[in-house]
Amino acid sequence: MRAQSTPSELPPPVGLPAPTAEAAPAPSDADEIHPLDRLLAQMQGGSDFPALSQAIQEVSCLTASDRENIGRLSGAVMQDFALSQRLLRLANSSAYRPAGQEPVSTVSRALMVLGLDTVRTIAVSLLLFENLRSVPRATPLRDEFARSTVACSIARSVLTPGTRVCEEAGLAAMFHRLGQVMVLHHLPQPAAELQALAAPNQTHVQADRHARRVLGVSYEELGHAVAQSWGFPDVLLQGLRRLDTHSPAPRCTTYESTVRVAAGFAAELCDLIASGAAHNSPGFEQLSRRYATSLELKDGALPELLMLARKRTEQLGQAMGMEVSSTPFGRQMLDLENRKPSKPADHGALLTATPPSRTEPAARDAGAPARTGAAAAVPVAAAAPAAPAARALEPHEIDLRRNSLASGLAALSENLAGRFILNDILRGALDTLHGSLQCRRVLFAIRDAQGEALNGRFGAGDIENDRLRLFRIVLEDDGDLLSAAARKGADLLISDAGAGNVAGRLPAWHRQHYSAGSFLLLPVMIQGVPKGMIYADCAETGGLQIEDAALALVRAIRNQVVMALRQSIAP
């Protein structure tokens, strides 16, 4: 295979070290410039060719670290005006700030409200879609933005939240169509020719065939070369490669294979959405079967994945100043959502495969498989019977709850921006959740020194000390539903704790001493490791009702707890 290198006459991208690959020799009369080198030279010669800004690089590194400092991260964000603007816009959107609440006016507070994963996604999306309105091909670029954002969300949703492998799989999925984006943005004449050749529902194989005819290289080869010129790490470069659609997906036995499989699954699912296929068409069923073993997809996972991806994409679209439904892909996504069969809502994250941990460099170079998680999928949402209906909240009650959550979130954000005491942050978060959700009790459990269990530490509501001490989630208990949720980092709302497939998986101490009719689990993860758990319950079946807007605020409060723990354990 031809070795790819950046032509020696081109300057390296801003903020990146010069490529170490040997410069290509100057072409002689007997030598022709390879189409890939010609295209790179043509694009990089343009004044609007995107490069990784120093600010975006620093933000990406800081958000991926356990030892980030909010002040330092705020300073990095404020180096980039466009990034600061979009973060503030999203933090002030209806998803994060209910009407009537004080606007988010500082970058540090926006960081705490949004959470680091969202910040990183916005930062890298700016690399490709900064000028969505100003370029002549803005309409197809907006469509690519919607598609890449959905792909990023899907790839992240099938892996354990908060892990590095989850983030890198999301980035690989986002850049899967980098070749198409570069052609649209920088090569207008070939872009027009390729558009004329494109069939309404062409596959990526057909698209690459047309690209070779017009450009001399496939879209995949072009995207890989551009990513290489930007200095992307090898794990992301591998993640941009398509998988064989005629064979079962390979098992996720290494860190790199996990990134590639999750990104490949997301890219293929987006291809199906773009084709206009119905949610119950054979294509979706075949895709689920191909990836079921590798990603441990539970039955009925796709509708949940698509719903979550649509919501995240709409939020990010608000931050980028565009309406996702105005794009062809966005309309296909919404139409698919409207056609899916109705089912009881379950606001918990998908309980899916625990990805391999990152191995040491020596082990990776030798091809040694990474350690894989042994937890099985927990199909609670799909199998649990419908819980008895609880009294629906009145509109004014919903507004009061959102306002209470938002006020508590603002107070936590202000405290985290200065010097704080960890216990005060934890108690403040529990008090806010207890009062706003009107539940019986809320508690926080923290991982013990041996790393074996999460033990009850603080509580609010009906939680005397004796009962608090009985709260103990043993992390290696495969039969325990609470343990499985903790290991996978999966948010879980159980409406009927007495349902047969739920009650049998609850530990004896929970059934005997907590007697919950419904409960909520919010794991606190740091680098994919469960460090704590927020637990809330009600005595009544169906007693915990949390609509989407309130759930976003509840998760934002959990983000404050994560940040407080991270800053407290950093040296």
Side-chain angles (χ1 to χ4, degrees):
M1 185 175 178
R2 176 184 172 277
Q4 298 169 348
S5 61
T6 304
S8 58
E9 67 271 15
L10 298 177
V14 176
L16 293 175
T20 56
E22 205 173 296
S28 64
D29 292 339
D31 251 346
E32 289 186 6
I33 298 178
H34 191 278
L36 194 52
D37 291 328
R38 173 177 51 78
L39 291 171
L40 284 174
Q42 185 176 347
M43 290 189 297
Q44 290 178 319
S47 59
D48 61 345
F49 184 78
L52 290 174
S53 75
Q54 186 64 37
I56 289 178
Q57 283 191 88
E58 188 172 354
V59 167
S60 184
C61 290
L62 288 172
T63 53
S65 170
D66 265 354
R67 307 179 185 277
E68 80 287 331
N69 175 277
I70 292 297
R72 199 176 152 205
L73 183 54
S74 299
V77 168
M78 287 187 289
Q79 295 175 41
D80 192 302
F81 174 78
L83 179 56
S84 302
Q85 181 186 48
R86 280 160 176 77
L87 291 180
L88 288 171
R89 181 186 296 165
L90 183 58
N92 283 295
S93 69
S94 59
Y96 291 92
R97 185 177 68 86
Q101 289 302 300
E102 181 181 352
V104 176
S105 57
T106 65
V107 169
S108 60
R109 187 170 164 195
L111 294 174
M112 288 180 251
V113 168
L114 296 174
L116 300 183
D117 290 354
T118 300
V119 171
R120 191 180 188 204
T121 300
I122 293 176
V124 296
S125 68
L126 280 171
L127 178 65
L128 296 183
F129 304 106
E130 169 63 20
N131 301 309
L132 285 174
R133 293 196 199 91
S134 59
V135 299
R137 293 155 301 284
T139 298
L141 278 173
R142 280 196 294 268
D143 201 53
E144 290 293 342
F145 165 80
R147 187 167 179 157
S148 69
T149 307
V150 168
C152 176
S153 174
I154 291 169
R156 289 172 54 183
S157 296
V158 296
L159 299 176
T160 301
T163 59
R164 185 69 180 271
V165 70
C166 170
E167 286 300 300
E168 290 191 337
L171 294 180
M174 174 179 283
F175 286 96
H176 239 266
R177 288 173 62 87
L178 180 57
Q180 284 91 328
V181 172
M182 290 295 101
V183 172
L184 281 171
H185 213 309
H186 305 287
L187 303 172
Q189 185 173 345
E193 293 181 45
L194 287 164
Q195 184 62 37
L197 290 171
N201 297 323
Q202 70 177 4
T203 65
H204 78 273
V205 174
Q206 293 168 327
D208 274 345
R209 188 182 303 128
H210 293 322
R212 285 193 187 91
R213 185 188 309 174
V214 174
L215 304 172
V217 296
S218 69
Y219 281 127
E220 182 176 322
E221 290 168 333
L222 178 60
H224 191 274
V226 171
Q228 192 175 50
S229 78
W230 283 340
F232 275 24
D234 187 59
V235 64
L236 284 184
L237 293 177
Q238 290 185 41
L240 300 184
R241 298 295 193 191
R242 287 271 186 169
L243 296 170
D244 180 6
T245 58
H246 300 293
S247 304
R251 289 185 175 273
C252 298
T253 56
T254 65
Y255 184 89
E256 291 79 5
S257 65
T258 302
V259 169
R260 188 179 179 194
V261 168
F265 169 72
E268 290 183 44
L269 185 51
C270 285
D271 288 345
L272 276 174
I273 296 170
S275 73
H279 72 276
N280 55 355
S281 66
F284 282 99
E285 295 174 7
Q286 292 166 8
L287 183 65
S288 295
R289 285 198 298 270
R290 281 186 56 232
Y291 285 91
T293 300
S294 296
L295 297 175
E296 295 184 22
L297 296 176
K298 68 180 184 180
D299 291 340
L302 289 190
E304 270 186 283
L305 282 172
L306 295 172
M307 179 182 68
L308 183 60
R310 178 181 62 78
K311 291 179 179 178
R312 286 178 176 169
T313 303
E314 287 175 339
Q315 291 175 2
L316 194 55
Q318 290 177 11
M320 300 294 290
M322 63 166 282
E323 187 68 38
V324 172
S325 60
S326 66
T327 71
F329 184 86
R331 286 192 293 273
Q332 292 281 19
M333 184 78 181
L334 291 174
D335 189 39
L336 184 72
E337 173 72 12
N338 291 335
R339 291 198 305 268
K340 77 181 183 69
S342 60
K343 58 177 281 186
D346 175 25
H347 299 301
L350 292 176
L351 291 176
T352 53
T354 302
S357 302
R358 179 184 284 276
T359 56
E360 293 301 317
R364 287 207 312 277
D365 293 342
R371 178 180 59 83
T372 57
V378 185
V380 173
R391 181 185 69 85
L393 295 177
E394 298 291 337
H396 74 277
E397 293 177 304
I398 293 175
D399 290 341
L400 284 174
R401 177 161 67 183
R402 292 183 193 172
N403 291 339
S404 176
L405 287 168
S407 297
L409 177 61
L412 289 171
S413 299
E414 293 298 334
N415 290 337
L416 273 173
R419 296 177 64 113
F420 66 87
I421 298 173
L422 177 61
N423 288 358
D424 291 344
I425 296 294
L426 296 174
R427 292 184 188 279
L430 297 183
D431 287 342
T432 296
L433 293 174
H434 178 248
S436 303
L437 299 180
Q438 297 183 340
C439 48
R440 179 175 56 174
R441 63 174 70 96
V442 181
L443 63 85
F444 177 75
I446 195 164
R447 190 164 182 147
D448 60 21
Q450 294 75 32
E452 297 175 350
L454 304 179
N455 298 318
R457 176 78 174 272
F458 298 110
D462 179 15
I463 185 69
E464 64 276 7
N465 288 336
D466 288 343
R467 182 179 281 120
L468 182 63
R469 282 194 289 269
L470 290 169
F471 192 96
R472 178 177 171 82
I473 301 175
V474 178
L475 292 174
E476 295 305 320
D477 187 349
D478 291 337
D480 183 347
L481 176 62
L482 278 62
S483 176
R487 294 195 308 271
K488 293 173 179 295
D491 300 345
L492 191 62
L493 175 61
I494 297 296
S495 296
D496 184 2
N501 66 326
V502 175
R505 298 203 60 189
L506 295 178
W509 60 261
H510 186 274
R511 295 194 302 270
Q512 182 178 353
H513 299 287
Y514 280 75
S515 304
S518 56
F519 61 86
L520 172 71
L521 300 176
L522 296 171
V524 173
M525 310 291 287
I526 297 181
Q527 283 294 89
V529 177
K531 295 294 185 181
M533 174 75 77
I534 295 174
Y535 168 91
D537 72 19
C538 280
E540 303 79 20
T541 297
L544 273 178
Q545 303 174 53
I546 310 177
E547 72 280 3
D548 290 341
L551 183 62
L553 292 167
V554 168
R555 284 172 164 158
I557 288 171
R558 188 262 310 278
N559 289 343
Q560 311 300 293
V561 173
V562 172
M563 290 186 182
L565 281 174
R566 280 176 159 172
Q567 294 191 56
S568 297
I569 64 178

